[in-house]
Amino acid sequence: MPRLILPRLRPRHRMLFAEIRSHWARLALAMVSSFIMAVTQVAIAYLIKNVIDDIFVQKDLGMLKVMPIAVVCIFFVRGLGYFGQEYFIGIVGQHIIKNLRDAMYARVMALDLSFFQGERTGGLMSRVTFDTNMVRDMVSRSVTGMVRDFFTVLGLIGVIFYRDWRLALYAVVILPVAYYPVMYFGDAVRRASGKGQAAMEDMSALLQETFAGVKIVKAFSAEAHETRRFQGRTGRYLKLQLKNVVAQSLSSPIMEVLAGAGIALVVWYGGYQVVTGESTPGTFFSFMAAVLMLYDPVRKLSYTMNAVQEGLAATDRIYDLLETETRVKERPDAVELAAGAHTVSFENVGFSYDGNEAVLAGITFSVKPGEVTAIVGASGGGKTTLVNLIPRFFDVTGGAVKVDGIDVRDLTLASLRKRIAIVTQEPILFNDTVRANIAYGRPDAPMEEIEAAAKAAFAHDFVTAFPAGYDSVIGELGSRLSGGEKQRLAIARALLTDAPILILDEATASLDTQSERLVQKALDNLMAGRTVFVIAHRLSTIRHADRILVVAGGRIVERGAHEELLEKGGVYRKLHSMQFTEDEQ
């Protein structure tokens, strides 16, 4: 029976069923409950002979008193079996979904940034939510259904052969024929379901994209355009679901026709036996009830098969994600990066995203503790990519990035990233309290240190002005804060981590003049005594840097102090002149 229901299992499908089997205790209780349901159904078919022959034909009063009590007891036990089956398999299904979701989230969190650049957030959300629900439905509907129907079919076949083995042959001859439409339509459902889940992923991605960018949608009066895009996605999903509906709808009528053919044979031959006196009405109706009950689980086989096929299609998509390998891997013999000040050096570093086009080439320089190195250049020159190699968001494809002379690939990721603080142009904050956002890198930090970090970042005053102070929830991505306030909270977060290596990625580029001054003061507090990398758009903010690197086309084309580079009259001088002219205008 299981082989009939689950054809052509892949190794990843067997992994899922191994996960299901790991809940063997609850599965066993669910199977016992299913067995009880099957036994009660067989008992009902068996007792029909006694009801008809003993009560209605023989008019046995004793049996009339006993039989109603027996029927009530059978249905009471059947109710207990149904509850146990649904309860225990429901628990198993929920645990499996939780484990799958936890595993998927952990896998996604372990992947490098290049994975996220190629995936859509909404698509990932669809796999974690929608696809796992499909697996849950498969477990809930199929596992118990297979067990219950398997025992029911065995028991009922036993009853009909016990009553009349010749008549039973007419009844069961149709069962092997039913296998083929079930398998054919099951494969069609699986194909349609897989495409439908991909379409749902597209729909989820569009939803996430438009909801996150709703301000831009409204600013450009693009509501109608986005509505048409969404209608296109839902239209495609509808077409795929209609194919699924057709496949599921056709399987049941075919099973009905086959069942009708079998029942017709039973009525013809069994009725002939009753008419000729070779059998009793009770025997015939008991046999007939057993046959009708027998075809019911056979008809349900198509529904069970559809649920299995949809679940297996979802399983493929889930394990596509679970089996994705990260490009940034920690070596087995990786060492811990010790606490303290650190020197960071780039030694002939090269990098390419796709292995073909070089984004960085021949990058060589070193930054000691207490030094500030600014990186400037036109957009697309590779500035952000360069600093992303320090915490190993990506791995170099040539040369090496070293901390205190140790290749970052020889360090544990946790110890390396613990020594690095990052403040980006668009500060990432979470829909939580101010306290939780500042203490994100040190959740156990005492309140005194949190307030000290906020004061050093010039954030304490506006935080205490909130009704709930540090317990105020700041909204999704800090939506209740201004740009300068969000940036100062990000700086406070970096201050609290007290990391010796600091990366500032255009931290003041999107701020107005007043906010920039406050943020720059906070940054001065943050940079003191650290190994600092500053990606700067406004050159006025880096004139006091110890070293300025001008990056163009993935290479360092100039390096030196501010005044020195101005005197050279090269690329930096041109950038400075252009910005000075823009500021005047």
Side-chain angles (χ1 to χ4, degrees):
M1 186 73 173
R3 178 59 182 170
L4 174 66
I5 299 295
L6 301 173
R8 297 186 296 276
L9 290 181
R10 300 177 183 176
R12 55 178 50 172
H13 300 157
R14 295 189 178 94
M15 291 171 64
L16 174 63
F17 282 93
E19 168 68 21
I20 296 174
R21 287 195 300 271
S22 68
H23 301 273
W24 63 269
R26 292 190 181 97
L27 275 176
L29 291 172
M31 289 181 180
V32 169
S33 301
S34 299
F35 178 75
I36 291 172
M37 288 190 66
V39 169
T40 56
Q41 191 160 356
V42 172
I44 291 169
Y46 184 83
L47 289 178
I48 287 178
K49 178 184 185 311
N50 301 88
V51 171
I52 294 176
D53 286 345
D54 295 341
I55 296 177
F56 292 102
V57 178
Q58 302 296 331
K59 304 186 186 303
D60 186 336
L61 292 177
M63 186 62 70
L64 181 61
K65 296 176 181 178
V66 172
M67 195 57 64
I69 298 174
V71 170
V72 170
C73 291
I74 288 172
F75 276 90
F76 176 76
V77 173
R78 182 176 177 80
L80 290 178
Y82 181 83
F83 170 79
Q85 168 192 282
E86 295 299 312
Y87 176 75
F88 290 115
I89 202 63
I91 292 177
V92 171
Q94 294 299 333
H95 275 86
I96 289 172
I97 293 311
K98 180 186 183 302
N99 293 342
L100 281 177
R101 284 176 175 162
D102 289 349
M104 292 172 73
Y105 188 80
R107 168 54 58 185
V108 169
M109 288 295 101
L111 295 172
D112 57 276
L113 285 184
S114 61
F115 169 80
F116 293 94
Q117 292 175 343
E119 291 286 338
R120 297 168 299 179
T121 303
L124 294 175
M125 291 169 60
S126 176
R127 295 196 191 194
V128 175
T129 55
F130 181 73
D131 290 353
T132 51
N133 283 336
M134 300 288 286
V135 174
R136 181 199 60 199
D137 292 343
M138 177 184 72
V139 173
S140 301
R141 290 170 55 187
S142 304
V143 174
T144 54
M146 283 192 300
V147 173
R148 182 188 63 244
D149 294 342
F150 178 68
F151 287 130
T152 300
V153 168
L154 283 183
L156 292 174
I157 287 177
V159 169
I160 63 176
F161 272 92
Y162 176 75
R163 293 298 186 202
D164 191 329
W165 68 269
R166 294 184 184 86
L167 191 57
L169 292 176
Y170 284 101
V172 301
V173 70
I174 209 70
L175 294 181
V177 182
Y179 172 83
Y180 295 100
V182 168
M183 293 301 300
Y184 175 79
F185 288 111
D187 288 339
V189 167
R190 183 169 175 175
R191 291 191 299 270
S193 181
K195 294 178 180 178
Q197 289 159 22
M200 174 61 73
E201 181 177 314
D202 287 341
M203 196 187 311
S204 300
L206 180 60
L207 282 172
Q208 190 275 335
E209 183 181 73
T210 51
F211 289 167
V214 67
K215 184 183 294 185
I216 299 300
V217 173
K218 291 187 174 298
F220 285 89
S221 300
E223 294 92 340
H225 169 69
E226 294 300 340
T227 300
R228 288 192 296 272
R229 289 180 66 199
F230 185 73
Q231 290 172 345
R233 300 291 199 284
T234 56
R236 179 169 177 264
Y237 182 70
L238 174 63
K239 290 179 182 179
L240 292 169
Q241 288 301 99
L242 289 178
K243 291 182 180 179
N244 199 343
V245 168
V246 170
Q248 294 192 35
S249 300
L250 281 174
S251 59
S252 184
I254 292 175
M255 296 295 292
E256 293 286 350
V257 171
L258 293 174
I263 292 171
L265 288 173
V266 170
V267 171
W268 171 74
Y269 185 74
Y272 176 78
Q273 286 185 311
V274 173
V275 170
T276 58
E278 296 181 22
S279 180
T280 67
T283 299
F284 173 75
F285 282 107
S286 175
F287 185 95
M288 192 68 184
V291 170
L292 291 173
M293 292 180 182
L294 175 64
Y295 283 137
D296 182 60
V298 174
R299 283 195 300 269
K300 288 179 181 177
L301 181 64
S302 61
Y303 294 105
T304 302
M305 185 65 172
N306 293 338
V308 170
Q309 296 289 18
E310 289 177 344
L312 292 181
T315 300
D316 287 332
R317 288 167 46 79
I318 289 171
Y319 277 91
D320 282 342
L321 181 58
L322 290 177
E323 293 171 359
T324 302
E325 292 290 337
T326 180
R327 297 180 183 179
V328 177
K329 297 181 180 180
E330 189 172 284
R331 292 174 177 172
D333 56 348
V335 298
E336 296 277 335
L337 179 60
H342 301 294
T343 297
V344 179
S345 57
F346 284 68
E347 298 181 0
N348 197 30
V349 167
F351 177 76
S352 171
Y353 285 106
D354 57 8
N356 297 317
E357 184 179 356
V359 178
L360 298 173
I363 303 295
T364 300
F365 67 97
S366 182
V367 185
K368 297 178 182 178
E371 290 185 344
V372 176
T373 294
I375 304 168
V376 301
S379 297
K383 304 185 299 296
T384 299
T385 301
L386 189 151
V387 296
N388 281 341
L389 298 176
I390 302 172
R392 287 193 72 195
F393 291 154
F394 306 98
D395 270 342
V396 300
T397 52
V401 178
K402 295 183 178 180
V403 178
D404 297 337
I406 305 172
D407 193 320
V408 292
R409 290 169 290 187
D410 294 325
L411 298 170
T412 62
L413 285 170
S415 68
L416 171 65
R417 292 172 181 173
K418 187 178 181 181
R419 312 298 176 204
I420 301 172
I422 300 176
V423 180
T424 60
Q425 179 179 354
E426 291 294 333
I428 304 300
L429 300 174
F430 299 94
N431 189 18
D432 206 334
T433 63
V434 172
R435 180 205 307 257
N437 273 281
I438 294 176
Y440 190 74
R442 287 180 56 200
D444 57 346
M447 192 62 205
E448 295 78 11
E449 294 186 26
I450 293 174
E451 289 186 1
K455 289 176 181 177
F458 297 94
H460 180 72
D461 290 343
F462 77 79
V463 171
T464 53
F466 295 148
Y470 282 86
D471 292 321
S472 301
V473 177
I474 62 175
E476 187 176 6
L477 297 177
S479 58
R480 298 177 185 175
L481 304 176
S482 69
E485 288 171 342
K486 288 191 286 187
Q487 197 64 284
R488 279 177 276 168
L489 284 188
I491 292 170
R493 180 172 60 195
L495 277 164
L496 188 64
T497 60
D498 196 26
I501 302 172
L502 176 62
I503 298 173
L504 304 177
D505 190 352
E506 301 196 51
T508 63
S510 59
L511 302 179
D512 58 73
T513 304
Q514 184 176 359
S515 297
E516 182 185 3
R517 287 173 181 172
L518 282 173
V519 170
Q520 193 59 51
K521 289 180 180 180
L523 289 175
D524 291 339
N525 291 336
L526 179 59
M527 290 189 291
R530 306 180 196 277
T531 305
V532 182
F533 297 81
V534 181
I535 296 177
H537 171 71
R538 296 182 182 177
L539 303 185
S540 59
T541 62
I542 58 159
R543 63 175 65 226
H544 299 299
D546 298 286
R547 181 186 302 102
I548 298 174
L549 305 178
V550 183
V551 178
R555 295 180 177 273
I556 298 175
V557 295
E558 290 180 0
R559 66 180 74 200
H562 174 71
E563 297 296 337
E564 179 184 350
L565 291 175
L566 287 179
E567 291 176 2
K568 286 184 178 179
V571 177
Y572 184 80
R573 176 62 180 268
K574 292 179 181 179
L575 290 172
H576 187 272
S577 299
M578 289 172 59
Q579 200 166 105
F580 182 75
T581 303
E582 288 173 359
D583 291 342
E584 281 191 333
Q585 291 175 349

